[in-house]
Amino acid sequence: EAQVTQNPRYLITVTGKKLTVTCSQNMNHEYMSWYRQDPGLGLRQIYYSMNVEVTDKGDVPEGYKVSRKEKRNFPLILESPSPNQTSLYFCASSSWDPPVQYFGPGTRLTVT
Amino acid sequence: AQSVTQLGSHVSVSEGALVLLRCNYSSSVPPYLFWYVQYPNQGLQLLLKYTSAATLVKGINGFEAEFKKSETSFHLTKPSAHMSDAAEYFCALSGAGSYQLTFGKGTKLSVIP
């Protein structure tokens, strides 16, 4: 089954404790992306990657890091999480022709 | 620059009534347009997409949308609402030849029995 997986689905952590949210896709897509979803603000892009070793900032990159060492994986790293990063996070990958994005199930992060 | 505006952050309809969720867009290049649905505690699922073929697009679960260039609109409709349609719906746009998606703020649909 074609899918995007994320882990963990739920995470509660404390300020300053480094964490990684994993994302993997099995559709051989070149493009992958991370979004955060907050009430009233909709979905905002954090980072995206056009291919292996190619990443770029989205609309709200501050406080986040990403890496793309393999085509299928695109982890999101919070090196020093803060409470304002409490949010629902989605990973997505995209086909090219046409460019349709497929989303993972989401990771609900709470930073206390 | 491109943008997506969804009119109405919350829409309520009675079960069996017409569902109409409005989406207007602004784009300097020919757009691809999408509707996604998000059920509670789930990710976004693609409902339908417009990619410059037929202007009337049919999607899953009985939904359809019509691309109207003159009105810069891509409204989502369903003739008869079911309780299972209660969810949040997002309209999104990408420029032809681009991966980047611009989302609207979303419309939460409630279905009243």
Side-chain angles (χ1 to χ4, degrees), chain A residues 2-22:
Chain A
Q3 60 182 350
V4 179
T5 57
Q6 294 178 229
N7 282 292
R9 293 290 312 277
Y10 301 91
L11 180 57
I12 301 174
T13 190
V14 296
T15 299
K17 186 176 181 182
K18 181 179 179 179
L19 65 91
T20 299
V21 183
T22 64

Side-chain angles (χ1 to χ4, degrees), chain A residues 9-10 30-31 35 37 40-43 45 48 50 88 90 94-96 98-105, chain B residues 32 34 36 38 41-46 49 51 88 90 94-101 103-106:
Chain A
R9 293 290 312 277
Y10 301 91
E30 292 184 348
Y31 178 93
Y35 298 88
Q37 183 181 25
L41 297 177
L43 284 107
Q45 190 179 49
Y48 63 96
M50 299 289 282
L88 179 58
F90 289 103
S94 179
S95 59
W96 172 237
V100 179
Q101 291 200 22
Y102 298 89
F103 286 79
Chain B
Y32 290 163
F34 308 85
Y36 285 88
Q38 184 180 26
N41 299 314
Q42 294 188 27
L44 278 75
Q45 179 182 1
L46 182 68
K49 62 183 183 289
T51 56
E88 190 157 19
F90 292 90
S94 70
S98 171
Y99 284 114
Q100 296 299 91
L101 270 183
F103 283 92
K105 291 279 185 359

Side-chain angles (χ1 to χ4, degrees), chain A residues 1-98:
Chain A
E1 180 191 354
Q3 60 182 350
V4 179
T5 57
Q6 294 178 229
N7 282 292
R9 293 290 312 277
Y10 301 91
L11 180 57
I12 301 174
T13 190
V14 296
T15 299
K17 186 176 181 182
K18 181 179 179 179
L19 65 91
T20 299
V21 183
T22 64
C23 172
S24 184
Q25 51 97 2
N26 62 1
M27 295 170 277
N28 201 37
H29 288 162
E30 292 184 348
Y31 178 93
M32 297 185 74
S33 180
W34 276 102
Y35 298 88
R36 61 178 288 174
Q37 183 181 25
D38 302 287
L41 297 177
L43 284 107
R44 295 178 292 168
Q45 190 179 49
I46 303 170
Y47 268 95
Y48 63 96
S49 170
M50 299 289 282
N51 212 329
V52 175
E53 302 293 359
V54 181
T55 63
D56 211 343
K57 296 177 181 178
D59 300 317
V60 288
E62 292 76 23
Y64 303 95
K65 282 178 60 176
V66 293
S67 69
R68 187 91 181 273
K69 293 182 170 49
E70 304 168 282
K71 197 172 189 178
R72 62 183 294 125
N73 296 324
F74 190 43
L76 179 69
I77 303 157
L78 284 73
E79 298 220 323
S80 183
S82 62
N84 64 12
Q85 293 178 297
T86 292
S87 187
L88 179 58
Y89 291 86
F90 289 103
C91 180
S93 70
S94 179
S95 59
W96 172 237
D97 188 20

Side-chain angles (χ1 to χ4, degrees), chain B:
Chain B
Q2 52 194 33
S3 65
V4 175
T5 302
Q6 290 184 241
L7 298 175
S9 58
H10 197 169
V11 171
S12 293
V13 300
S14 298
E15 192 173 17
L18 171 72
V19 175
L20 170 60
L21 303 182
R22 299 179 188 272
C23 173
N24 287 90
Y25 70 91
S26 172
S27 178
S28 57
V29 298
Y32 290 163
L33 291 156
F34 308 85
W35 277 100
Y36 285 88
V37 60
Q38 184 180 26
Y39 298 104
N41 299 314
Q42 294 188 27
L44 278 75
Q45 179 182 1
L46 182 68
L47 264 183
L48 49 80
K49 62 183 183 289
Y50 166 77
T51 56
S52 75
T55 56
L56 182 62
V57 181
K58 294 189 185 299
I60 61 172
N61 302 338
F63 284 93
E64 64 180 37
E66 187 171 8
F67 172 70
K68 291 188 176 180
K69 184 178 180 181
S70 61
E71 298 177 9
T72 60
S73 69
F74 190 57
H75 302 330
L76 181 71
T77 61
K78 181 174 180 177
S80 176
H82 296 161
M83 296 298 295
S84 59
D85 294 327
E88 190 157 19
Y89 293 80
F90 292 90
C91 183
L93 171 156
S94 70
S98 171
Y99 284 114
Q100 296 299 91
L101 270 183
T102 299
F103 283 92
K105 291 279 185 359
T107 297
K108 188 163 289 188
L109 176 67
S110 299
V111 182
I112 304 163

